[in-house]
Structures are given as C-alpha cells and as structure tokens.
Amino acid sequence: MKKITPSDEIDPRRRSLLGAAAATLAALPLGVATLADAQQGPTGAKGQAAAKPASHASFPAIKQIDAGLLNVGYAEAGPANGPVVLLLHGWPYDIYSFVDVVPLLVAAGYRVIVPFLRGYGSTRFLSGETVRNGQPSALAMDIITLMDALKIEKATIGGFDWGARTANIIAALWPARCKAMVSVSGYLIGSQAAGKAPLPPKAELQWWYQFYFATERGRAGYDKNRHDFAKLIWQLASPKWNFDDATFDRSAAAFENADHVAIVIHNYRWRLGLAEGEAKYDEYEKKLAEAPVISVPTITMEGDANGAPHPDPSAYAKKFSGKYAHRLIEGGIGHNLPQEAPEAFAKAIIDVNHM
C-alpha cells in the first residue's frame, strides 16, 4: 500500500498544538511502519512488544452523565476548550485500554473523553424496561447522545474492536459529528446478512466464542466465568503481550456490570441473525448493510501479532474515500493496540487531526 502522509501545510492556529504533540512524542520508540516499510524488516525485537510497559494505573476520576437511554460513566482529561477526542474500547476490554494514551493526548492539548460502553463499568440503563440491546447501531447512537449531553458538536474518534466498529458507524452515518478517525483493524461495518455467510474453516475457528454464545450453555458459561473467559480472550488476541494480573484485573472489574452478559450475548447473536434488534434502528442497519464508504480523514492501524479475527488491510483500503493512511505496528503488538502500543496510537490520533 502506498504510504500516505498528512499535508505539510498546517493551519497557523494549530502550530502550537502540533509543536506540543511533537515534543511529547518525538523521542518515543513507536515501532510504527507503513505496509511498504514493513517489508524492510521489523522495528522492534522479534517476539517483544515495541511499546513501553504501562506507566499509569488509574484515571483521575470517573464522571457520570445522563445521555439518551443511559447514565454513562466516563473518564475525562485535558483542557475544556481543547479539540475533543473520543476513545472507544471493545470486548472484553474497557476504558483502561487507553490509560496510557490519554496523558499523551492531554500533553498535546486535547480534551479526551473515554466512556464505558453500555454493559461495562459504571454505565447503567436509566430504565429497567429498556431492551438490553447490543446491536452495533445502538452502541453508535449511545455515543451520539453522549456527545449531545456533553455539548460536543464534533470529535476525533478512535477505537478498536467494538469501539472501532462504533467509530466506523458514526463516521459513515453522522460524518458531520466526526472530525477524523483512527480505527484499529480498519473497516468493521457489517450486517446480519453478511454474518450469515460461511467463512473458510480456519476463519470459522477464530470465531469459536461467537458460536458458543449462540447457545444457552454459552450464555451461562460466560456469566459464570467472566473473569477467566475474558483473560483467555486477551491471551489469544494478544499472544505476545505479557500483561500482568493487576493490568487485567483493572479491566475485569468492568465486566461485573449487571447488564454486561446480556449486552455481549445479544451483540454476537444479533450478528448471526439469531436475535432480533429494535425497529428504531432498522433505518441505520439498512444503510450499514450497504457497506457505506467513509469520507472523513482516517488512519487505520494493525498490530503485527493480532490473534483476533481481522480483515487484511488490502480488503478495506477502498472503503475510505477521504485522506487515508494505514500503519502496521510492529514488535509483537496484538489486538488491544492502544494499551500495548499507546505511543503509536496517540501519534495516530494527533496525525489524523492534521491530514
């Protein structure tokens, strides 16, 4: 893939911000390569993550706000008048995936907001009668209503796993709300029809948990063994990331949310067409089933040791019609890229803002 870099022409009003970002990140060992650069050899030692060990163990505070159907728990840091960055986690992860990304962005002048998705952490449904719906467009609408509640008109959105899919959906359906996007594993918009199509046997094997969750035994097993199940997924998805128990346990606490199992099970069953969604999201899902092209400036990223199911970058490059670049992060980086390579992820957020 051709290397695409941001324009050298920078708005003078942004020069101070870019300067701060450069000072923050210039000396860090990012282990970043484009696909073309990757052919020249790895930037990190074989089998070792290029990222530094985690240096932050907490966020200053978790705030709560009513937004749409939810009371959302979120971390916030940085200047109130800074350009806004929203960071979205996946399954089975939580906001701690970004605990080392946030300080880098704050140092560069950004206001950073990291919400718990529905079914995680301190995010709660406002009504016990609300359907515990995990379909992708519902999660995207949660973020739009959060932005409305926080009076944020537009934000740069970054994410991985469920968070990347949510960012993709917002960029596709509400491009006016998305200034730019960083998406780990690229274009992840799908549909129930696509989910019903069989894959080659090796690819089906990677989705073993999706089939497990389709059964009542799987729902009960996940509910009973949330901690061990999530830890296994971490190990399989990031086989070269030697995270410690304290790192995992900080995130595992978010899975004790009373709605967590219901949201996770519904998400995967909905993808296979085994569970109904809600009619109010039908219009969005219809548009998403057409695999819409994304026009906002985008950087896609991939770790060189991602053990989770993910598409090849060549399969989705044409889904981005605006300014676009892809980065391969080398050095044993797995699925949880923001936590395994926070410097690289933060740099992508900063760079995409100047594309």
Side-chain angles (χ1 to χ4, degrees):
M1 181 181 295
K2 182 179 179 182
K3 181 177 180 181
I4 304 175
T5 58
S7 170
D8 291 329
E9 296 182 4
I10 301 170
D11 186 332
R13 291 172 296 178
R14 299 291 188 183
R15 288 186 185 277
S16 60
L17 177 60
L18 184 60
T24 302
L25 295 170
L28 296 175
L30 298 182
V32 177
T34 64
L35 291 182
D37 294 338
Q39 298 174 359
Q40 301 175 11
T43 56
K46 185 176 180 181
Q48 295 180 347
K52 292 180 179 179
S55 56
H56 297 86
S58 65
F59 292 98
I62 301 299
K63 300 180 179 181
Q64 300 290 143
I65 190 170
D66 288 350
L69 301 173
L70 304 170
N71 177 260
V72 179
Y74 65 100
E76 180 175 5
N81 61 348
V84 179
V85 173
L86 275 166
L87 301 177
L88 307 178
H89 67 82
W91 172 85
Y93 305 93
D94 81 328
I95 65 174
Y96 280 95
S97 290
F98 303 102
V99 72
D100 286 316
V101 173
V102 170
L104 297 171
L105 295 178
V106 169
Y110 291 90
R111 177 189 177 192
V112 188
I113 295 166
V114 194
F116 286 108
L117 302 184
R118 58 168 61 188
Y120 295 80
S122 61
T123 292
R124 297 288 187 274
F125 286 90
L126 293 173
S127 170
E129 303 301 315
T130 303
V131 177
R132 271 40 178 179
N133 183 348
Q135 72 183 103
S137 59
L139 273 71
M141 179 55 72
D142 289 345
I143 302 305
I144 293 296
T145 57
L146 174 63
M147 292 175 69
D148 291 343
L150 293 173
K151 296 181 170 52
I152 296 169
E153 182 61 31
K154 181 178 288 192
T156 295
I157 306 177
F160 73 105
D161 197 86
W162 288 20
R165 181 176 293 106
T166 302
N168 288 181
I169 292 171
I170 293 171
L173 297 183
W174 297 281
R177 308 300 298 272
C178 184
K179 179 179 185 292
M181 179 176 67
V182 172
S183 178
V184 176
S185 297
Y187 187 91
L188 298 177
I189 293 175
S191 66
Q192 287 184 317
K196 293 178 182 179
L199 301 172
K202 287 185 178 180
E204 295 283 22
L205 179 62
Q206 287 188 302
W207 286 110
W208 65 271
Y209 53 87
Q210 181 170 243
F211 300 110
Y212 182 62
F213 289 162
T215 68
E216 178 55 26
R217 175 178 173 174
R219 187 209 63 77
Y222 184 57
D223 193 8
K224 180 180 180 180
N225 302 297
R226 299 183 205 189
H227 184 280
D228 291 348
F229 198 104
K231 194 168 189 177
L232 175 62
I233 295 296
W234 279 38
Q235 292 165 342
L236 295 174
S238 299
K240 296 185 179 181
W241 181 33
N242 295 318
F243 58 88
D244 58 22
D245 287 343
T247 297
F248 175 75
D249 289 343
R250 278 191 291 272
S251 288
F255 314 147
E256 296 306 314
N257 183 299
D259 299 306
H260 178 73
V261 173
I263 295 298
V264 171
I265 296 301
H266 185 267
N267 178 280
Y268 286 105
R269 290 183 181 180
W270 182 91
R271 293 194 208 182
L272 293 176
L274 301 176
E276 295 293 327
E278 293 180 86
K280 63 182 177 180
Y281 300 112
D282 286 352
E283 178 184 353
Y284 301 137
E285 297 297 352
K286 183 178 179 180
K287 292 178 181 178
L288 296 173
E290 298 173 354
V293 170
I294 291 173
S295 61
V296 306
T298 298
I299 291 176
T300 58
M301 308 182 76
E302 193 59 82
D304 67 340
N306 185 359
H310 62 279
D312 186 272
S314 63
Y316 55 71
K318 292 183 180 179
K319 301 304 293 184
F320 300 97
S321 63
K323 295 179 180 179
Y324 173 71
H326 179 78
R327 296 178 179 181
L328 176 66
I329 312 304
E330 298 185 323
I333 302 302
H335 190 59
N336 187 1
L337 192 152
Q339 197 163 6
E340 297 176 61
E343 298 92 347
F345 192 86
K347 188 175 190 303
I349 291 287
I350 292 168
D351 290 348
V352 81
N353 272 278
H354 300 285
M355 288 178 69

